[in-house]
Amino acid sequence: MKWTSALLLATLTVSANLVAQPTRYGTNAGFWGIKGSYFGESAGQTATLTSSENSFFGAFSGRLTTGNQNTGLGANTLFSNTTGGANAATGFESLYDNTTGSFNTANGYLSMHSNTTGKDNAALGASSLYSNTSGIENTAIGSFALSVNKTGNNNTATGNKALNSNTASNNTANGSLALQFNTSGDGNTAVGFGSLNANITGSNNTAVGLSAAFANSRGQFNTAIGRRTLANNSTGSYNTALGNSAGPDKDTYENTTSLGNGAITTFSNSVRIGNSSVTSIGGAVGWSVVSDGRFKVNVKEDVSGLDFINQLRPVSYELDRAALRRFLNVPDDGSQLTNVKAAPSRQTGFIAQEVEQLVKKSGYVFSGVESPQNENDHYSIRYDDFVVPLVKAVQELTSKMNEQQQILEEQTLEISALKEKLGAYNGTSGDASELKATLFQNTPNPFSLDTEIKMALPETTRQAELIVYNMEGKQLKTFQVTQRGNSSIKLSAGEFSAGMYLYALIVDGKVVDTKRLILTK
């Protein structure tokens, strides 16, 4: 029986080898393998009757392989592979430690050297995906791309040392040194040389452009598009920068938006559009501000109006744009397009510090001044906010005009009534000539020091008085006139306040005439 079994086994082996006709070159190359090609010492040494369609070229390549459809080109490629299948390794010791991982492609010196169970990975370049063990669905193109990654999944790195230190998942780096130092940051996208280079733990960042977000280390949810955008940011999050060198001037600001070449934000929760060379910002419609009554609480009618507006100092000025750029630490790299359109030589407006002092001194309610948030920030004015106190001032002026109109109407009625009384006293329709008494207009009029009121009285006059009234008809002062014929009375400005007054001549109980005088300051 033993002899019969041995003969049968030998017959089957010879028959199988005759059918498969494997190709072998080298000591122990593909010793038991079928349907494969084996070139080099111990290449595919342990290939079995069940392993097939393997191709190994190089000493010890695929030495332990029992899987199928593997290709190894180079000494020690797929050295430790056992059951892994459909792998392709090109380059010295590429996929060296692979055991069960399948559908991997490694092309380059030591590429995917440490991979064991990882699958569906692609590595092109010396030491690309070198440390990967169980990570899946990674793509590395470039020397040392994803070279430290072990278990991270779904990463794509294109460029020398792109994602070189990565151990996380779902990152995309396209460009030399892009995401070079990323370790545990997930969901990052870096496109451009050195983009997100210093990122270590920051996640969900997007950087597109040469050295975009270069210094970011722990910041998250940042978006940088353009050369050296977000260049200063390190730990700040939720920042957006679009344009050459746009972004915050410090590394800790959050929720900032910088749009345009050299646009710089100087504190958190701020938006800046354009640099100091911009001379016009606009669009087809005005800027909209949230003004929904459903979300406004503690509403008060305490807005300052006319008094506030009257104390403002409108000025014209020239803006030192070069000094402003130096203050904001904007690099002088030729990115300031100062010759595209010349800035106006003079502008009009207010000095923010003066408005701030006025508000502090008076206690006015006003939100149009933006004070510096830190030593690197500057004063700003929101000119739209001046609309509210201007409206209040117009309302106050309208109210005063209405009051004055009402007073004027009342005074007109009073004058008419006085004239009617004068006509009644004269027994005529107001003609004082029958009394042979005359009241003249004061001179000078208007006056600021003294004025003289002249009159003429007949000799038969028994009693005469000159009475001064305010415009409300209130009697202020009475002068007894004792001289007959031509006489006069002097009024001193010190006796009254500035304004308009009435004066009347009463002769023997009858109003002869009434006139107006005006006292100025």
Side-chain angles (χ1 to χ4, degrees), residues 114-119 121 131-136 150-153:
S114 303
N115 191 78
T116 54
T117 61
K119 63 178 182 177
N121 298 291
S131 302
N132 193 78
T133 56
S134 59
I136 64 173
K150 292 183 178 180
T151 60
N153 304 320

Side-chain angles (χ1 to χ4, degrees), residues 60-234:
F60 299 100
S61 58
R63 182 176 62 93
L64 303 176
T65 298
T66 59
N68 301 317
Q69 300 171 331
N70 295 289
T71 300
L73 177 59
N76 296 332
T77 54
L78 284 162
F79 179 87
S80 304
N81 192 76
T82 55
T83 60
N87 296 294
T90 304
F92 177 74
E93 292 192 358
S94 55
L95 278 169
Y96 180 89
D97 288 329
N98 192 78
T99 55
T100 61
S102 300
F103 303 101
N104 296 295
T105 300
N107 188 344
Y109 172 79
L110 299 180
S111 56
M112 292 193 69
H113 181 277
S114 303
N115 191 78
T116 54
T117 61
K119 63 178 182 177
D120 298 303
N121 298 291
L124 173 61
S127 296
S128 54
L129 274 169
Y130 175 89
S131 302
N132 193 78
T133 56
S134 59
I136 64 173
E137 298 178 356
N138 297 292
T139 301
I141 302 176
S143 297
F144 298 96
L146 277 166
S147 64
V148 177
N149 189 78
K150 292 183 178 180
T151 60
N153 304 320
N154 301 302
N155 297 292
T156 300
T158 305
N160 176 49
K161 296 183 179 178
L163 278 167
N164 178 57
S165 305
N166 185 75
T167 60
S169 301
N170 306 311
N171 294 293
T172 300
N174 188 348
S176 294
L177 307 184
L179 279 164
Q180 178 184 2
F181 296 104
N182 188 76
T183 56
S184 59
D186 293 320
N188 297 293
T189 300
V191 179
F193 176 84
S195 52
L196 278 168
N197 174 267
N199 195 77
I200 300 175
T201 60
S203 298
N204 302 300
N205 297 291
T206 300
V208 179
L210 175 67
S211 298
F214 182 90
N216 191 82
S217 60
R218 297 187 297 276
Q220 302 186 73
F221 299 96
N222 295 296
T223 301
I225 301 177
R227 171 186 172 275
R228 292 189 56 78
T229 46
L230 286 176
N232 296 315
N233 188 72
S234 177

Side-chain angles (χ1 to χ4, degrees), residues 373-385:
Q373 302 295 306
N374 51 60
E375 68 276 7
N376 300 301
D377 192 22
H378 55 74
Y379 275 92
S380 299
I381 282 184
R382 292 189 286 266
Y383 283 99
D384 285 352
D385 285 13

Side-chain angles (χ1 to χ4, degrees), residues 267-492:
F267 56 94
S268 296
N269 304 307
S270 62
V271 177
R272 290 293 179 266
I273 301 177
N275 57 30
S276 60
S277 297
V278 172
T279 59
S280 176
I281 297 177
V285 296
W287 196 275
S288 298
V289 178
V290 175
S291 184
D292 193 321
R294 294 174 296 175
F295 312 112
K296 294 184 177 182
V297 298
N298 195 24
V299 177
K300 299 179 180 180
E301 295 186 16
D302 55 356
V303 177
S304 306
L306 187 60
D307 188 49
F308 171 62
I309 295 299
N310 284 336
Q311 294 186 68
L312 293 173
R313 186 173 74 104
V315 297
S316 67
Y317 61 89
E318 294 181 0
L319 183 64
D320 191 340
R321 300 173 187 275
L324 179 58
R325 288 196 294 271
R326 290 193 297 271
F327 178 80
L328 295 174
N329 296 316
V330 176
D332 186 9
D333 56 1
S335 62
Q336 305 299 320
L337 306 181
T338 56
N339 296 322
V340 173
K341 181 179 179 181
S345 58
R346 296 197 70 79
Q347 302 178 55
T348 57
F350 304 110
I351 306 299
Q353 289 89 332
E354 294 180 359
V355 180
E356 180 186 52
Q357 289 302 315
L358 173 60
V359 172
K360 288 181 178 180
K361 178 181 177 181
S362 59
Y364 295 139
V365 176
F366 184 64
S367 57
V369 178
E370 195 170 277
S371 301
Q373 302 295 306
N374 51 60
E375 68 276 7
N376 300 301
D377 192 22
H378 55 74
Y379 275 92
S380 299
I381 282 184
R382 292 189 286 266
Y383 283 99
D384 285 352
D385 285 13
F386 285 84
V387 171
V388 178
L390 280 171
V391 170
K392 183 69 173 181
V394 171
Q395 291 175 340
E396 292 175 353
L397 284 173
T398 301
S399 178
K400 289 185 178 182
M401 289 177 61
N402 291 337
E403 291 176 2
Q404 293 177 353
Q405 181 65 30
Q406 183 178 357
I407 293 173
L408 180 60
E409 292 174 356
E410 292 174 353
Q411 291 172 347
T412 301
L413 293 174
E414 290 176 357
I415 291 173
S416 297
L418 287 172
K419 287 184 176 180
E420 289 178 2
K421 289 181 180 179
L422 176 61
Y425 288 149
N426 291 339
T428 66
S429 60
D431 188 357
S433 61
E434 296 181 1
L435 296 175
K436 296 181 181 180
T438 306
L439 178 63
F440 299 98
Q441 183 65 52
N442 66 300
T443 57
N445 190 44
F447 69 100
S448 59
L449 296 176
D450 298 318
T451 189
E452 183 179 24
I453 302 175
K454 293 182 179 181
M455 65 205 74
L457 298 173
E459 293 295 334
T460 58
T461 299
R462 295 189 299 275
Q463 182 179 9
E465 296 176 325
L466 181 73
I467 303 177
V468 180
Y469 302 88
N470 62 19
M471 296 305 291
E472 285 77 26
K474 181 180 180 181
Q475 184 174 320
L476 301 179
K477 193 163 186 176
T478 301
F479 297 91
Q480 298 295 328
V481 183
T482 58
Q483 186 177 354
R484 301 299 179 256
N486 294 324
S487 63
S488 65
I489 292 177
K490 288 187 176 182
L491 295 182
S492 174

